[in-house]
Amino acid sequence: MNMVQMYGDFIDNLPVCEDYLDIGFSAASHLIKKRWKTNRLSAHFVADYLAVFLPVNDEDPGKERRNEQCKGAVAYIANELLENAMKFHSPNGKSPVRFGIHFMEEPELKIILFASNAIALQNKDKYQAFIEELIASDPQELYILQLERSAEDEDNQTSGLGLLTMINDYGAKIGWKFETMCDDTDAIAVTTMVQLSL
């Protein structure tokens, strides 16, 4: 039986008619460790790709600055999502790490970034408890609390500072989807989704 749990602002079944880019990375843990160095490169590629879809008003003197701010936000968020997906990917995971960006035009352009990876089943409850705390808390106060927790955590496994920075500094909406995997009973698929409105 397929179990699905969603938290926060998660959009299930993104429309396929909109523009998107989807990238997959091999699941082999030794390859993921090597790719750690390319996360920043991938994040900046996605930010440059985004520039094609930004609305352009040639008469707006601040357009270049706004475009650079938007690209900077996307590069930061993409890098954080990729780092987290690769850092916490189950070493025995069989499914690839996936990363993508979607563009949706509503009243304004919305950028949706996501990363999917497999985490060890034993880490699921701890991660979901953090998500529930994040959703129920004031993001500014939780940021300070996480700084204190992070200083005490030698393994750097409790941070969450990147997610809080996305919310506090970029006004991002974040959602998560946990889903069982048919081919792996020791891991669970997690998709983290970040929405930015321009």
Side-chain angles (χ1 to χ4, degrees):
M1 184 172 76
N2 192 23
M3 181 276 301
V4 176
Q5 293 174 287
M6 288 189 269
Y7 298 86
D9 293 296
F10 193 90
I11 302 171
D12 207 15
N13 300 319
L14 287 167
V16 292
C17 59
E18 302 291 343
D19 290 303
Y20 68 94
L21 175 68
D22 197 351
I23 304 170
F25 300 94
S26 171
S29 61
H30 68 283
L31 292 175
I32 284 181
K33 286 177 185 171
K34 284 183 181 178
R35 274 206 196 87
W36 182 264
K37 298 173 186 175
T38 67
N39 287 343
R40 187 171 182 272
L41 177 66
S42 299
H44 282 278
F45 166 74
V46 168
D48 288 338
Y49 180 82
L50 155 78
V52 173
F53 298 95
L54 292 175
V56 177
N57 178 355
D58 291 329
E59 297 177 16
D60 180 2
K63 74 173 180 171
E64 291 297 325
R65 183 179 55 81
R66 266 192 300 285
N67 285 356
E68 287 305 311
Q69 286 175 336
C70 185
K71 284 173 61 176
V74 168
Y76 174 82
I77 291 169
N79 189 59
E80 284 295 316
L81 287 174
L82 279 167
E83 281 187 0
N84 286 343
M86 293 196 184
K87 179 179 179 180
F88 297 109
H89 189 68
S90 173
N92 301 321
K94 297 171 186 157
S95 60
V97 171
R98 285 186 53 232
F99 175 77
I101 183 168
H102 285 246
F103 307 94
M104 295 175 64
E105 292 193 34
E106 294 179 347
E108 56 190 1
L109 181 65
K110 183 184 285 190
I111 299 167
I112 299 167
L113 297 117
F114 73 88
S116 297
N117 63 305
I119 65 168
L121 199 55
Q122 66 200 31
N123 296 330
K124 177 179 86 88
D125 291 341
K126 183 178 177 182
Y127 191 25
Q128 288 178 333
F130 171 73
I131 291 168
E132 289 169 358
E133 181 182 20
L134 188 150
I135 291 170
S137 300
D138 175 273
Q140 296 283 350
E141 291 175 11
L142 186 56
Y143 184 84
I144 293 167
L145 180 61
Q146 287 302 105
L147 280 174
E148 294 167 358
R149 288 175 179 165
S150 186
E152 296 170 1
D153 180 18
E154 295 175 9
D155 297 330
N156 195 26
Q157 297 292 313
T158 61
S159 174
L161 293 172
L163 296 171
L164 288 160
T165 299
M166 293 177 203
I167 296 168
N168 291 329
D169 293 1
Y170 300 109
K173 294 180 180 179
I174 306 178
W176 296 265
K177 180 179 182 181
F178 290 77
E179 192 168 12
T180 53
M181 300 186 297
C182 301
D183 60 344
D184 194 345
T185 57
D186 296 326
I188 188 163
V190 179
T191 301
T192 304
M193 177 180 286
V194 179
Q195 300 176 49
L196 283 176
S197 293
L198 300 182

